[in-house]
Amino acid sequence: MDLDGFTDICRVHGWPCGDDRDALSGSGMGNALEFFSRERIPATLFAIAQDVHDAAKRRRLHEAVTQGHEIASHSVTHRTLTRLSAEEKRREIVDSRATLQDALSVPVRGFRAPGFAVDAESLHFVEEAGYDYDSSLFPGRSGAKRVGLATIPVAPHHPLRGTGRLRELPMPPRASLPFPFHPSYSLVMGNWYFELGLRRVRPNAAPLVLLFHLTDFADPLPAYQLHGWKARLYTLSSISAADKLDRCRRMLEAVRKRYRIVSTAELLRDWTTSASSQGT
Ligand SMILES: [Zn+2]
């Protein structure tokens, strides 16, 4: 789950969001942790490192750690990496790992780029920072050139030529759909969209990275905080939390019919074993 809060969503879209406490983040984390506990999901939470300076967000991150969830990095400030200078990009990747590890006293093994915007330079910084894995790429040719590949494989792989350490856990393929089919989009489009995407993915070809966002679980934001229909849409504020939770539960049910749910750590361990046993 990516932990983009209301302030991050506002920043990405250039909307004013005032000085209010991040209600989306508060209810989103509370409802998500309850959901993961009820559904017995060992989640990986991609946290924005500057959030550790916000007492309420830091407390909820600690709570997630106590409940056994993995913490990964979603950069320091959630800026688009491909628009930054090499030095700023490096800081977003390297410093976020150090900050999260220091604040939460847990190892941080994974990285996901804000907006999935990565290039070859970013991936080199991800490896240099000591992460074990990145999870920012979509399979296929689109976006492959930016990271120096001809195509991005569907299965977990080593994304950097000539080095064998960093692993990539790619998103599920879009399977000819106009948008990715992860729950945030499917909550807008309808559960049929998620089920269509899921049906188009070959279950035996690769593990499925199931990506949630805080918006998928959060209570709707009050109208006074939302500037126009886009803000309501991108915060999923037109759907009640109860409806979202029920629909996420049904998406999860559809996933469970085809996949065994494992933590990222377990996936990496199993994948390393099978990859090395096949000599790849
Ligand atoms: Zn994000």
Side-chain angles (χ1 to χ4, degrees):
M1 177 167 74
D2 291 356
L3 301 191
D4 310 26
F6 185 48
T7 47
D8 308 298
I9 296 171
C10 289
R11 206 176 305 115
V12 165
H13 296 280
W15 304 325
C17 83
D19 296 325
D20 287 318
R21 282 182 308 155
D22 197 328
L24 186 152
S25 174
S27 68
M29 271 292 264
N31 294 345
L33 291 180
E34 268 180 42
F35 179 82
F36 294 148
S37 161
R38 206 165 44 237
E39 299 292 338
R40 301 181 313 283
I41 296 196
T44 298
L45 309 184
F46 288 84
I48 298 160
Q50 66 184 4
D51 285 354
V52 302
H53 305 303
D54 175 315
K57 290 183 179 181
R58 184 178 176 133
R59 184 175 45 74
R60 285 189 290 267
L61 285 169
H62 274 296
E63 197 180 325
V65 169
T66 307
Q67 292 181 19
H69 300 299
E70 176 180 333
I71 301 295
S73 164
H74 196 32
S75 81
V76 177
T77 64
H78 201 267
R79 285 180 297 167
T80 304
L81 297 181
T82 48
R83 292 191 198 137
L84 302 180
S85 69
E87 186 44 36
E88 284 180 303
K89 202 184 282 180
R90 199 189 63 79
R91 278 206 297 270
E92 290 285 337
I93 295 166
V94 175
D95 293 2
S96 59
R97 180 165 192 250
T99 301
L100 289 167
Q101 292 192 147
D102 286 353
L104 303 170
S105 306
V106 289
V108 170
R109 302 177 63 197
F111 182 81
R112 174 168 296 129
F116 309 103
V118 272
D119 49 22
E121 188 174 53
S122 310
L123 288 179
H124 280 285
F125 288 139
V126 173
E127 178 166 80
E128 182 192 307
Y131 293 98
D132 290 334
Y133 68 94
D134 174 79
S135 186
S136 311
L137 301 178
F138 280 88
R141 287 179 186 282
S142 153
K145 207 170 161 195
R146 209 165 53 182
V147 293
L149 298 172
T151 186
I152 293 162
V154 173
H157 57 277
H158 296 293
L160 293 173
R161 279 210 196 101
T163 67
R165 213 187 55 75
L166 183 70
R167 287 168 281 183
E168 175 66 32
L169 301 179
M171 294 290 114
R174 290 190 192 183
S176 315
L177 296 170
F179 316 105
F181 65 87
H182 53 249
S184 308
Y185 283 97
S186 300
L187 284 168
V188 176
M189 301 290 288
N191 273 41
W192 64 270
Y193 190 74
F194 183 80
E195 282 159 29
L196 177 65
L198 200 60
R199 277 201 304 275
R200 289 190 181 183
V201 174
R202 285 192 300 128
N204 296 327
L208 180 94
V209 171
L210 179 58
L211 168 64
F212 288 105
H213 288 89
L214 286 176
T215 48
D216 306 347
F217 303 104
D219 298 342
L221 289 172
Y224 77 88
Q225 279 200 311
L226 300 170
H227 299 270
W229 65 270
K230 276 192 178 172
R232 202 163 65 246
L233 178 72
Y234 286 110
T235 58
L236 297 180
S237 285
S238 51
I239 316 172
S240 73
D243 275 0
K244 289 193 273 191
L245 285 158
D246 183 54
R247 288 177 56 194
C248 286
R249 184 188 54 73
R250 283 191 279 131
M251 288 186 226
L252 198 59
E253 246 171 47
V255 171
R256 284 196 208 273
K257 283 184 186 153
R258 292 164 163 245
Y259 296 88
R260 183 171 62 91
I261 293 184
V262 298
S263 66
T264 306
E266 201 180 335
L267 170 63
L268 286 166
R269 197 191 57 219
D270 290 355
W271 177 67
T272 307
T273 309
S274 67
S276 55
S277 66
Q278 289 160 20
T280 52

